[in-house]
Amino acid sequence: MTPIRIAIVGVGKIARDQHVPSIAASADFDLVATASRHGSVDGVPSYPDIEALLEKVEHFDAVALCMPPGPRHAAALTALRAGKHVLLEKPPGATLSELDDLVALAAGQRVSLFATWHSRFAAGVAQAKQWLASRNIRSVRVDWKEDVRKWHPGQAWIWEPGGFGVFDPGINALSIVTEILPMPIHLTAATLQFPENRTQPIAAELTFADAAGERATATFDWRQTGPQTWDIRASTDDGDLLLQSGGARLTIDGKMVVDGRDEEYAGIYRRFAGLIAARESDVDPRPLRHVADAFMVGRHAFVEPFED
């Protein structure tokens, strides 16, 4: 089978760390070009923007959009109008409404649109979903705490409007929660902590409920040094489940069930190849909707200034 010819638009940290090696390791894809104002990949033709890419590279099939969420919508429209399959890095856009016309355009063009949530492809997530499906869930607790200086060094855009702040990693937790829970939940309360010198939050406390009442809480914090925490706990009538390391490790009632490696982006590209083969799209807005709700109903608190 001929590999899918793909281009990366936006060659930053996530593209270099995850997309480039995952494409290189995949038999389904061949990286033929990049488009970026500041980055490139050795040995791969590079262009300043998606318009130049489309003008100069005649034969390719798909694009992976890895730039910040603000400009991603315009790039996605351009790619879809050109008949390209489109992979959106998470979050899929700066707003929920941006997704509507992308979904409609992809359907009209008969190409695939994939809004990726890489944490859903962590090793323990699928089995956690299966285990919870038939159980009565009493409570869910999320602790997602990391060091922004380690994971987003010098990325000023992440503190600007549309950059999401602590919800950039926090949305990964929400993508797992919305995947593994058998019932829908909605946000009921939130407190967002904003550094005095930033326009996006550095920490957040969230409370969620379902039809039966309050069911889940989450703490997101970007100020944690030392060991990093990416944990989701679920208490059920039949025992307790714990996802750690961002979903890579699954423990049930203290017994290790899954202890996997980081192969999330390999899973993303397998899924994208399957979508392209079937001419289907996969766009789940639920994690982004929870973030939007937090900004809508959350109480804003101000904390000390933050400097990189």
Side-chain angles (χ1 to χ4, degrees):
M1 180 177 174
T2 303
I4 299 162
R5 293 165 57 86
I6 192 169
I8 292 176
V9 180
V11 183
K13 188 175 187 300
I14 193 64
R16 293 190 182 95
D17 290 352
Q18 298 289 354
H19 290 266
V20 172
S22 295
I23 292 170
S26 173
D28 295 316
F29 290 92
D30 182 19
L31 180 62
V32 298
T34 66
S36 183
R37 291 181 298 171
H38 306 297
S40 61
V41 176
D42 289 345
V44 178
S46 179
Y47 302 92
D49 52 43
I50 191 170
E51 290 79 12
L53 168 68
L54 289 167
E55 179 183 353
K56 300 294 185 180
V57 183
E58 293 185 4
H59 303 295
F60 70 101
D61 310 296
V63 295
L65 300 184
C66 303
M67 71 276 278
R72 199 176 296 150
H73 177 253
L77 284 176
T78 299
L80 291 170
R81 286 168 179 156
K84 309 303 181 186
H85 306 287
V86 173
L87 181 151
L88 301 171
E89 228 323 324
K90 67 86 191 173
T95 68
L96 277 166
S97 57
E98 287 181 357
L99 297 181
D100 294 339
D101 54 351
L102 297 183
V103 170
L105 182 56
Q109 294 283 79
R110 298 193 69 251
V111 295
S112 298
L113 177 66
F114 183 24
T116 64
W117 300 111
H118 65 80
S119 291
R120 289 181 172 177
F121 293 88
V125 171
Q127 196 160 336
K129 178 179 180 178
Q130 182 181 12
W131 191 82
L132 290 173
S134 61
R135 287 170 169 83
N136 179 49
I137 300 170
R138 296 174 178 173
S139 64
V140 176
R141 173 69 199 172
V142 177
D143 290 288
W144 219 258
K145 304 174 183 179
E146 61 182 56
D147 184 354
V148 62
R149 291 184 176 94
K150 176 179 180 179
W151 301 103
H152 299 277
Q155 295 182 15
W157 63 266
I158 214 161
W159 296 106
E160 297 299 322
F164 285 71
V166 76
F167 285 103
D168 180 82
I171 204 170
N172 296 333
L174 298 175
S175 73
I176 295 177
V177 169
T178 50
E179 176 71 7
I180 66 175
L181 293 187
M183 73 290 188
I185 56 173
H186 61 275
L187 189 79
T188 57
T191 298
L192 313 184
Q193 295 185 14
F194 290 76
E196 292 178 350
N197 61 335
R198 304 289 182 173
T199 62
Q200 296 297 297
I202 197 168
E205 295 281 347
L206 311 175
T207 302
F208 298 89
D210 66 357
E214 288 189 358
R215 192 63 65 98
T217 58
T219 297
F220 301 154
D221 201 319
W222 242 354
R223 299 166 295 192
Q224 178 150 305
T225 57
Q228 309 285 276
T229 303
W230 300 293
D231 295 349
I232 299 173
R233 296 171 172 83
S235 175
T236 81
D237 288 347
D238 297 320
D240 297 331
L241 175 149
L242 173 61
L243 278 169
Q244 295 177 290
S245 301
R249 294 164 57 91
L250 172 62
T251 303
I252 297 176
D253 286 338
K255 179 182 178 181
M256 182 67 67
V257 177
V258 176
D259 188 0
R261 297 179 296 173
D262 179 7
E263 295 183 340
E264 296 173 14
Y265 279 81
I268 280 176
Y269 278 96
R270 285 194 298 271
R271 175 65 172 153
F272 192 33
L275 290 171
I276 291 172
R279 294 281 174 163
E280 295 176 351
S281 292
D282 181 355
V283 181
D284 181 2
R286 291 177 296 167
L288 184 59
R289 182 176 294 117
H290 287 314
V291 173
D293 288 350
F295 278 97
M296 289 176 65
V297 306
R299 182 175 69 87
H300 290 198
F302 292 94
V303 297
E304 63 276 3
F306 174 84
E307 300 293 346
D308 270 330

